[in-house]
Amino acid sequence: MPQAGSALLVIFGASGDLTRRKLIPGLYDLTCVGCVPRKFEVLGVGRSPMTTEEFRARMRQGALESSGIRHLDHEQWANFEKRLFYMVGDPGNTDFYRHLGVKLEEMHQAGSSTNHLFYVSTPASVAAPIIEGLGSADLNRNYQGWSRIVLEKPFGRDLESARQLNRTVLRTFDESNIYRIDHYLGKETVQNILVFRFGNSLFEPVWNRNYVDYVEITAAETVGIENRASFYEETGALRDMVANHMLQLVALTAMEPPIAFDADAVREQKVQVFRSIRPMSVEEVARRTVRGQYGPGEINDRAVPGYRQEPGMREKSSTETYVALEFYIDNWRWAGVPFFVRTGKRLARRMTDISVHFKRTPQALFARTPDEEIDPNVITLGIQPDEGITVKFGAKKPAAQMQMAPVQAEFCYRTAFGAATPEAYTTLLLDAMRGDATLFTRGDEVEAEWSIITPIEEAWAQLPPPSFPNYAAGTSGPAEADTLIAGDHRRWRRLEQLVQKAT
Ligand code: BG6
């Protein structure tokens, strides 16, 4: 991995979960592999009163619990934690930014970097006041180095609020210094979609409507809402997962080759995909989307409560924890090819993948093969936890008279490359410090995403509410989702039946 330039990272929302579970472990990992320069400090900012020592202890605990870190070396951690500092403050108060400016100056005097990376990891509603506060104290400008801002998702909650947030941040920072996070783009396997498609000449000729029957994208989770009741009630699965992560997977699967692998060229092609997604009328939303909410059930032999029984939840909540949708991309390459996308919480297993299902052969030559064994070709790009690629094709059954059976060729990251892949946040933090925005979303890109999602939310508000709960925890989701995809031999990959290869 390349080394980052020197930086002073200021994290807003430092007492929150993301800092403890992802950001600090990611930075620790970077330090261990020598990617962090000598001049690198973190200033955590939060409302919770805490001393720097308490902050360090809390971060250490978070790192120990984090699944991302493979091994916490006590000596390495002791050296790393000397770079962590904490400042109590209310980011909603404009006076605070003056104090922050003074604190940063003190840190420079003591030898810290003069490059500033502001990481806004707070609820969306606090993002605008933080940006304005930084501007009011002139911290958006930096005469001794650079000044960049990282904005966590969700970027707004609909098209209008995303536009508003874009206007606010663009008044204060130049687009080249704005890093809008979608952590899926930091995943190795997500980046590999582009390498697989555009680094090989074998697949691209068939990656279009002439050969592809349909595309299926799944992001299934076994976790519930993890103590985020109020956030999730405001958000729901469509805004939480589809408006960003799932649409990014659609874009990377469907986009045209960029002219170069750089931030603007890649983002330009993704925006083109979003603009080509066919808008849905209310009637189409009723036909081409399915909402679900989990009821009580069992996951890994453990009884789990339904969504409405989660702590802090409304008894009659109508928030969706599952969505399935059928998108069409109206462009030359994909005309007529449905993209089926689904995501949900408390499903039978954790699995994110993209399956490209190819058309059947024009003639059934090996007619002795029972119908159910003639499976069309499928290329599956495994994002997590099975990181790899499988190609499914037909082979002759040994000894049988010219009969076919489906078989798979597999590539597995771990087997091929040995080392475990870095965590998404580790990659993204390093890129932001290096000034590479390729794996971050551009302003027009997030607005294009919301232009797809907002009409769906609006149509749902007009349609009769579904009767929730409509799937039991630990299953593949609501039965209506099967109807959405059904026809011409199309069906979702059954989550219950898929065997997990890695964890
Ligand atoms: C987050 C969502 O952006 O992504 C969570 O807010 C979700 O609800 C998470 O669980 C999934 O990320 P990953 O990396 O575990 O697939």
Side-chain angles (χ1 to χ4, degrees), residues 153 183-184 187 221 228 240-241 245 345 350 384:
K153 73 166 265 279
H183 80 274
Y184 264 50
K187 292 180 190 275
E221 299 186 275
R228 296 192 301 165
D240 187 36
M241 291 291 288
H245 307 327
K345 299 234 177 251
R350 175 170 180 251
Q384 61 189 24

Side-chain angles (χ1 to χ4, degrees), residues 18 21-22 152-154 182-184 187 219-221 223-226 228 231-232 235-237 239-241 244-245 343 345 350 352 383-384 423-425:
L18 187 79
R21 287 181 36 221
K22 299 283 182 190
E152 254 305 327
K153 73 166 265 279
D182 182 319
H183 80 274
Y184 264 50
K187 292 180 190 275
E221 299 186 275
V223 291
I225 51 158
E226 298 182 300
R228 296 192 301 165
F231 162 79
Y232 205 84
T235 312
R239 287 193 178 97
D240 187 36
M241 291 291 288
N244 33 70
H245 307 327
T343 181
K345 299 234 177 251
R350 175 170 180 251
T352 302
I383 308 295
Q384 61 189 24
E423 282 276 300
Y425 276 98

Side-chain angles (χ1 to χ4, degrees), residues 18 152 172 245 249 285 289 299 370 374 383 416-417 453 456 482:
L18 187 79
E152 254 305 327
T172 319
H245 307 327
L249 296 181
V285 168
T289 70
I299 301 220
I374 305 183
I383 308 295
F417 296 119
I453 299 303
I456 300 176
D482 295 335

Side-chain angles (χ1 to χ4, degrees), residues 136-154:
S136 71
D138 224 17
L139 291 170
N140 53 331
R141 273 183 270 277
N142 189 341
Y143 306 103
Q144 309 173 69
W146 47 253
S147 196
R148 298 181 189 139
I149 187 160
V150 181
L151 296 164
E152 254 305 327
K153 73 166 265 279

Side-chain angles (χ1 to χ4, degrees), residues 319-353:
T319 303
E320 81 287 353
T321 59
Y322 176 100
V323 205
L325 311 100
E326 182 184 14
F327 286 126
Y328 283 90
I329 300 174
D330 285 337
N331 65 15
W332 198 271
R333 183 190 283 260
W334 294 113
V337 179
F339 278 64
F340 295 102
V341 171
R342 64 176 166 166
T343 181
K345 299 234 177 251
R346 288 284 192 229
L347 294 175
R349 62 162 287 201
R350 175 170 180 251
M351 182 196 84
T352 302
D353 70 17

Side-chain angles (χ1 to χ4, degrees), residues 70 75 77 112 122 138 216 227 233 297 325 334 481 499-500:
R70 279 152 277 282
E75 205 182 315
W77 179 268
S112 292
T122 59
D138 224 17
E216 177 194 354
N227 303 320
E233 269 295 272
L325 311 100
W334 294 113
V499 183
Q500 195 151 315

